[in-house]
Amino acid sequence: MSDTVTLSLAEATDLSTAALTANGADGENASAVTDIMMRAERDRCASHGLFRLPGYCASLKSGKVKGDARPVASEIAPGAVRVDGQGGFAPLALEVGLPVLAQKAKTQGIAGMGLVNIYHFAALWPEVETLAEQGLCAFAFTQASPMVAPAGGIKPFFGTNPMAFAWPRPGQNPYVFDQASAAMARGDVMIHARDGHPVPLGTGIDEDGNPTTDPNEVLKGAQSPFGGYKGSNIALMVELLAGGLIGSVFSPEAGRLDNKDGGPPVGGEFLMAIDPAHFGDAAHWAQHCETLFSELTAMEGVRLPGERRRKARLETPTSGIVLPRSLLEKINGLM
Ligand code: NDP
């Protein structure tokens, strides 16, 4: 028997919805969380697809996350939106907040949004891509729980603290990057451990602070920031934006509050949206930026971030998605 299974996106959607519902999510929350995982599966981002479903279900089951949360958006200043996730998962809070943020940025040129009282377990590119498809430049940041040792330290302190950026390209797919400030996203370290593969040197350190390629030792010790002190500085910036600025928690605080059920810690997310039509050269900005993209991609070996995902997106509706059989069995066991 093969140790992988292929599912259609529709089958994967039904599976996710059934598991979340069986563990206490109502229709709206199950739909929003499933949608965010399916966007990851569709783009072959395995670490944020169905791989996350057992964690989502564990947090519903333990009662840490509310499966019937109804996030509330409020306009706290002309350019500032706050969404209280009411103790639910981030995807529904984003569905509620993104249209408000986009409308404010379109009207005023720039707007920011803080999501608080949420549990974030997802990739960030879906939200910035959604904003860029509406003609906006967008940033997103979220913290997590302590997993990454700061430059010079050997104990976990920062979350893997991703940041995502998207730039609108009228008539074309937006430019989107989304990356952890850790050398490797936590989910990918876990997948390496599950599959028995070593991680590249520089991914993390063992409990005594020694560099290691064993993902299990990294999970017990600490992950490393990407690019040494530079990634460490970005991780701190993300803590300040997604924790300090919007009145949420920092990763060390989230770690202390967490019940360790395997799901996401409580946290926040900060997003900023800017309408390029309100800054500088309203008539020519898009065309001007295209000259930069063209000159860059004309160079041999260079590709834009997001291209791998976009290619996968065209393929998975017919190829389906491939899951480890062990993951499918685990998910079936959740119901
Ligand atoms: P990767 O290192 O896999 O990729 C980072 C970015 O670089 C992607 O946009 C990718 O685009 C791009 N890229 C990859 N190769 C190239 C290349 N050769 N040239 C140009 N661009 C390239 O991501 P990470 O492992 O750092 O993060 C993975 C995910 O984990 C992110 O989506 C992040 O949001 C998520 N995450 C979520 C957390 C949470 O708490 N919610 C915590 C930490 C991470 P492409 O996709 O096209 O390859």
Side-chain angles (χ1 to χ4, degrees):
M1 193 195 291
S2 161
D3 54 6
T4 59
V5 283
T6 303
L7 298 183
S8 69
L9 289 171
E11 287 169 333
T13 300
D14 289 347
L15 186 69
S16 168
T17 307
L20 289 164
T21 308
N23 283 276
D26 65 12
E28 280 187 51
N29 280 279
S31 165
V33 172
T34 294
D35 179 62
I36 214 79
M37 280 187 290
M38 288 309 114
R39 288 180 74 168
E41 288 292 353
R42 190 187 55 173
D43 285 15
R44 294 205 184 106
C45 297
S47 60
H48 291 84
L50 289 174
F51 174 69
R52 295 284 175 188
L53 184 53
Y56 280 119
C57 290
S59 290
L60 288 167
K61 206 167 175 180
S62 76
K64 182 173 77 184
V65 179
K66 293 197 176 70
D68 58 354
R70 286 290 171 274
V72 178
S74 33
E75 302 184 2
I76 50 177
V81 186
R82 180 181 171 92
V83 180
D84 186 332
Q86 304 279 343
F89 293 121
L92 192 58
L94 282 162
E95 283 186 12
V96 168
L98 284 176
V100 187
L101 175 65
Q103 191 271 333
K104 279 193 171 295
K106 288 266 178 193
T107 314
Q108 308 192 145
I110 184 165
M113 178 165 79
L115 268 58
V116 298
N117 202 9
I118 53 159
Y119 291 79
H120 208 310
F121 217 21
L124 299 184
W125 57 261
E127 41 264 44
V128 292
E129 187 174 279
T130 297
L131 291 165
E133 283 167 354
Q134 297 170 54
L136 298 165
C137 159
F139 300 81
F141 310 86
T142 189
Q143 77 288 71
S145 54
M147 293 176 268
V148 176
I154 61 164
K155 295 292 172 205
F157 184 79
F158 295 129
T160 41
N161 293 7
M163 62 176 285
F165 173 78
W167 183 258
R169 301 177 67 190
Q172 296 196 59
N173 296 325
Y175 166 87
V176 180
F177 78 75
D178 177 14
Q179 56 198 34
S181 45
M184 185 182 277
R186 185 71 163 190
D188 283 321
V189 180
M190 291 164 75
I191 287 176
H192 278 72
R194 180 193 70 190
D195 298 343
H197 297 149
V199 290
L201 207 56
T203 300
I205 51 180
D206 66 18
E207 285 177 296
D208 299 320
N210 303 308
T212 176
T213 58
D214 181 340
N216 291 300
E217 292 300 318
V218 173
L219 292 172
K220 281 190 263 165
Q223 290 179 243
S224 298
F226 82 84
Y229 61 86
K230 295 185 185 182
S232 193
N233 293 343
I234 289 176
L236 179 52
M237 176 190 75
V238 173
E239 296 287 343
L240 294 169
L241 292 174
L245 180 76
I246 64 171
S248 182
V249 292
F250 300 122
S251 296
E253 294 170 332
R256 289 191 283 274
L257 290 168
D258 198 44
N259 68 0
K260 314 282 188 273
D261 60 8
V266 70
E269 179 173 355
F270 176 64
L271 295 103
M272 188 162 61
I274 305 173
D275 187 348
H278 284 261
F279 286 82
D281 189 345
H284 302 109
W285 68 266
Q287 193 191 356
H288 185 204
C289 293
E290 285 313 309
T291 63
L292 182 73
F293 287 124
S294 298
E295 198 174 334
L296 174 67
T297 53
M299 220 181 284
E300 202 178 322
V302 173
R303 77 153 168 100
L304 295 180
E307 282 179 2
R308 179 199 60 78
R309 288 192 301 101
R310 288 280 179 173
K311 183 169 175 288
R313 192 178 300 182
L314 297 175
E315 294 166 358
T316 50
T318 44
S319 70
I321 58 166
V322 179
L323 296 184
R325 185 172 294 279
S326 57
L327 177 58
L328 181 63
E329 284 165 1
K330 196 172 186 179
I331 293 171
N332 284 330
L334 298 169
M335 294 182 257

